[in-house]
Amino acid sequence: MKRTSLGYALALITASALVACTSGPADDAGSEARTVTIDTIAGPTQITGTPERIVAFGQQWVDALLEFDVQPVGYVSAGSYGDERELFPWQTGVANDAVMLDAAAVEQMGGAVPTEAIAALEPDLILVSGIASADPYKGLPEIAPTVLPKDTTVESWQAQIETLGEILDRKDDADRIIAEGNKFTDAIASDLPGLSGRTAVLSQFIFDTQQLVVVADPEDGAALVFDSIGLSVPEDLANSPDISGGRITLSPERIDALTADVVVVLPNGGTGDDLRKLPGFTALPAVTGGGLAVVDYATVVGINLPSKASVEFSLNKIRPQLEAVGS
């Protein structure tokens, strides 16, 4: 799948831990002498003191900052998929004076990193996520300490919260935020015990190219969200020889391979009614069993670029389908 804005939303996500942190001893300078080291794909990043002007160049980082009640001075926008400020529905807490950074600048979307716009914000920390390569971001550390992912993938929201807890010297808050997020998904698993042992996938049907794209990697962010409530990727999809970059691309003739009990699907360029007109679609287990959730772009992003807030938003959106399968 091309790395369009939709491809960005369906980027391969792992649960790799982001952070390897060490704190230097305090001296007479107090917290300003505190140094934290974060391992990234571009090497270690050292952060001295507690940053106050933070640019969140990644949707997950916007959400993570809000969990700590920290406002970004600049944020990467959701583009036309967001509201009038180009924010997703769970990001309404971003202050009005925060500067929006053009979504088209995100490297996966084919644009250049807006280095000058970021520098103009005079940040003392830049947070980047969801990148395919560190190369376009090499100029950012010249502006301010820059935290990139540990690998060329998007990290888990829990790892990002842990990282911010270290950077902001707020480990207790980080532990609380993670516990709250885990409590939400644990409650769904408890309320719907029938989800245990059932299967789920995130997908999109691209009408222009007549392709069904299924996120089939069990270590993908979406798969890990589903796993947190008892669902797993179907084995036939997870073990398919057709997986490339964590995804399987199917023609309409192979739509019967979509065997999951819960299917969350974005009709890219069409509607739910258009999906149902595809030969064999109405016979899928998710359709006959009530587990089909036809969703919008924001819900896809909420699952595949997960944060505490986005997971809550998106799982609430598909709660009826989860109840149909898990009750």
Side-chain angles (χ1 to χ4, degrees):
M1 179 169 47
K2 293 181 180 179
R3 289 197 178 270
T4 61
S5 57
L6 181 63
Y8 176 58
L10 292 175
L12 176 64
I13 304 175
T14 74
S16 301
L18 167 71
V19 60
C21 301
T22 58
S23 298
D27 58 18
D28 292 341
S31 61
E32 291 305 312
R34 179 178 175 273
T35 298
V36 174
T37 301
I38 310 294
D39 286 339
T40 81
I41 188 173
T45 292
Q46 287 195 335
I47 303 161
T48 300
T50 301
E52 296 180 354
R53 297 184 59 82
I54 303 175
V55 167
F57 201 71
Q59 296 296 339
Q60 288 176 294
W61 283 122
V62 175
D63 301 348
L65 288 171
L66 293 179
E67 292 294 340
F68 285 91
D69 294 322
V70 173
Q71 288 291 338
V73 295
Y75 63 92
V76 65
S77 81
S80 61
Y81 298 100
D83 62 13
E84 65 279 0
R85 291 195 293 155
E86 300 189 11
L87 292 166
F88 286 115
W90 57 88
Q91 296 174 331
T92 55
V94 173
N96 290 328
D97 60 355
V99 175
M100 179 185 67
L101 299 166
D102 188 358
V106 178
E107 186 265 339
Q108 288 93 332
M109 299 178 189
V113 176
T115 306
E116 291 184 5
I118 292 174
L121 296 174
E122 299 181 346
D124 47 23
L125 178 66
I126 303 169
L127 303 170
V128 179
S129 64
I131 67 173
S133 168
D135 291 344
Y137 301 88
K138 287 182 177 178
L140 294 183
E142 298 176 8
I143 300 170
T146 300
V147 174
L148 302 171
K150 187 174 182 179
D151 353 84
T152 54
T153 51
V154 179
E155 55 275 5
S156 73
W157 72 262
Q158 291 94 336
Q160 289 188 325
I161 293 295
E162 289 176 354
T163 298
L164 275 182
E166 291 286 344
I167 292 172
L168 301 174
D169 198 15
R170 294 172 59 181
K171 183 179 183 302
D172 289 347
D173 286 333
D175 291 343
R176 171 186 54 78
I177 293 165
I178 292 171
E180 289 174 354
N182 291 340
K183 183 179 179 180
F184 174 81
T185 49
D186 289 347
I188 293 177
S190 177
D191 293 344
L192 303 173
L195 294 177
S196 179
R198 307 297 287 273
T199 57
V201 291
L202 183 68
S203 61
Q204 64 161 321
F205 189 85
I206 307 171
F207 283 90
D208 283 350
T209 59
Q210 289 292 291
Q211 291 178 314
L212 177 71
V213 181
V214 182
V215 181
D217 182 358
E219 297 302 316
D220 183 273
L224 295 175
V225 170
F226 292 137
D227 180 72
S228 70
I229 58 175
L231 298 163
S232 60
V233 176
E235 288 188 8
D236 55 338
L237 294 177
N239 297 326
S240 172
D242 297 326
I243 290 182
S244 176
R247 307 169 188 81
I248 300 174
T249 301
L250 303 172
S251 65
E253 293 76 19
R254 296 184 59 200
I255 208 161
D256 59 345
L258 200 61
T259 56
D261 299 302
V262 175
V263 172
V264 181
V265 58
L266 173 71
N268 184 352
T271 66
D273 288 340
D274 294 329
L275 287 173
R276 290 177 175 84
K277 293 176 184 177
L278 297 172
F281 191 87
T282 57
L284 294 175
V287 179
T288 59
L292 174 68
V294 180
V295 300
D296 59 9
Y297 183 83
T299 304
V300 170
V301 172
I303 294 174
N304 211 68
L305 293 178
S307 68
K308 176 178 175 289
S310 76
V311 168
E312 292 175 1
F313 172 88
S314 294
L315 291 186
N316 281 333
K317 283 283 189 178
I318 66 169
R319 180 77 186 215
Q321 288 78 19
L322 296 177
E323 291 177 349
V325 172
S327 296

